[in-house]
Amino acid sequence: EVQLVQSGAEVKKPGESLKISCKGSGYNFFMYWIGWVRQLPGKGLEWMAIIYPDDSDTRYSPSFQGQVTISVDKSINTAYLQWSSLKASDTAMYYCARPRRYGAGNAAFDFWGQGTMVTVSS
Amino acid sequence: DIQMTQSPSTLSASVGDSVTISCRASQSINTWLAWYQQKPGKSPKLLIYKATSLESGVPSRFSGSGSGTEFTLTISSLQPDDFATYYCQHYNTDPYTFGQGTKLEIK
């Protein structure tokens, strides 16, 4: 069974750093891109970035380029989303998701993590 | 970047109705379009991919159509479980942006 399990909710202060994770299981992790999607409270879905675990090829939305960093550790089937200096405006739910075609970043997301809620408040 | 515009933003309907949600791309995306359903507090769920293909396990009352820049999601014979928010997403060239969502409410 394909699963993406994300790390738990985080409460941080502005200016702090943070790294959240997404662990894949039930499939060949290195063969499928992993994407990250943001959802601000009460708002819609925003595509942030995507990474290919096999070679760490990475694509960012211009809206998020320079604001976050995504990475993977394929030895433990885990993808990461990190911030070096959080802002209150980063408060949101963050989802990881897997495209339905192996080797293809340009595919619909058929499996999603449960989401990680990040709250940034002083 | 390709912009995705959904309409309407909110839709009120009754159980048994048939409804259509539209999604327009700012440039041609061929048929590289997906539709998702999201319920409060839950992760999105894939319904349709490649504009018209029904994801495994999704009821056949959901259907997608369109190509190029104009797309629709149709839900025939609405069931109580269908009241949710629906998003389109293109995956033609990155960034693979989502539409702003359509909230389907019970009338």
Side-chain angles (χ1 to χ4, degrees):
Chain A
E1 177 195 9
V2 174
Q3 283 193 307
L4 296 173
V5 178
Q6 297 186 231
S7 49
E10 300 275 1
V11 180
K12 306 293 276 187
K13 291 182 170 21
E16 291 186 332
S17 63
L18 176 63
K19 193 173 189 177
I20 63 175
S21 66
C22 169
K23 184 174 176 64
S25 62
Y27 71 100
N28 289 321
F29 182 79
F30 71 96
M31 291 178 66
Y32 288 79
W33 292 71
I34 287 279
W36 289 93
V37 175
R38 183 176 80 172
Q39 188 165 38
L40 297 171
K43 301 299 183 182
L45 304 172
E46 300 175 88
W47 190 92
M48 301 176 69
I50 198 164
I51 187 165
Y52 190 49
D54 195 35
D55 62 5
S56 294
D57 187 8
T58 306
R59 314 287 167 80
Y60 290 91
S61 165
S63 299
F64 293 94
Q65 179 87 49
Q67 308 305 308
V68 298
T69 302
I70 60 172
S71 59
V72 291
D73 184 341
K74 59 183 181 181
S75 70
I76 55 171
N77 290 0
T78 300
Y80 301 97
L81 172 65
Q82 67 182 83
W83 296 259
S84 59
S85 181
L86 286 159
K87 308 180 193 69
S89 56
D90 293 318
T91 295
M93 181 71 80
Y94 293 89
Y95 295 100
C96 63
R98 192 202 79 165
R100 64 184 305 281
R101 290 190 295 131
Y102 72 84
N106 62 328
F109 290 133
D110 61 348
F111 286 96
W112 292 69
Q114 82 277 21
T116 295
M117 183 67 206
V118 174
T119 302
V120 184
S121 174
S122 54
Chain B
D1 300 355
I2 298 172
Q3 308 304 315
M4 306 300 292
T5 304
Q6 287 182 234
S7 60
S9 296
T10 307
L11 182 55
S12 297
S14 302
V15 172
D17 286 351
S18 177
V19 297
T20 297
I21 298 169
S22 297
C23 179
R24 173 177 291 175
S26 59
Q27 65 189 72
S28 177
I29 57 169
N30 295 300
T31 55
W32 301 119
L33 185 100
W35 289 97
Y36 301 89
Q37 176 194 67
Q38 188 181 32
K39 296 180 180 178
K42 300 294 188 182
S43 304
K45 174 187 174 183
L46 177 64
L47 300 174
I48 302 284
Y49 63 94
K50 209 162 183 297
T52 62
S53 297
L54 192 67
E55 176 69 350
S56 177
V58 174
S60 59
R61 62 181 180 274
F62 291 90
S63 63
S65 65
S67 66
T69 62
E70 301 285 342
F71 302 87
T72 58
L73 172 70
T74 298
I75 313 171
S76 60
S77 189
L78 276 170
Q79 300 300 301
D81 191 51
D82 299 338
F83 293 94
T85 300
Y86 294 85
Y87 296 93
C88 62
Q89 180 205 18
H90 86 85
Y91 46 97
N92 185 58
T93 53
D94 66 88
Y96 305 135
T97 47
F98 292 89
Q100 80 277 18
T102 295
K103 186 175 182 180
L104 177 56
E105 300 179 327
I106 300 176
K107 186 184 288 184

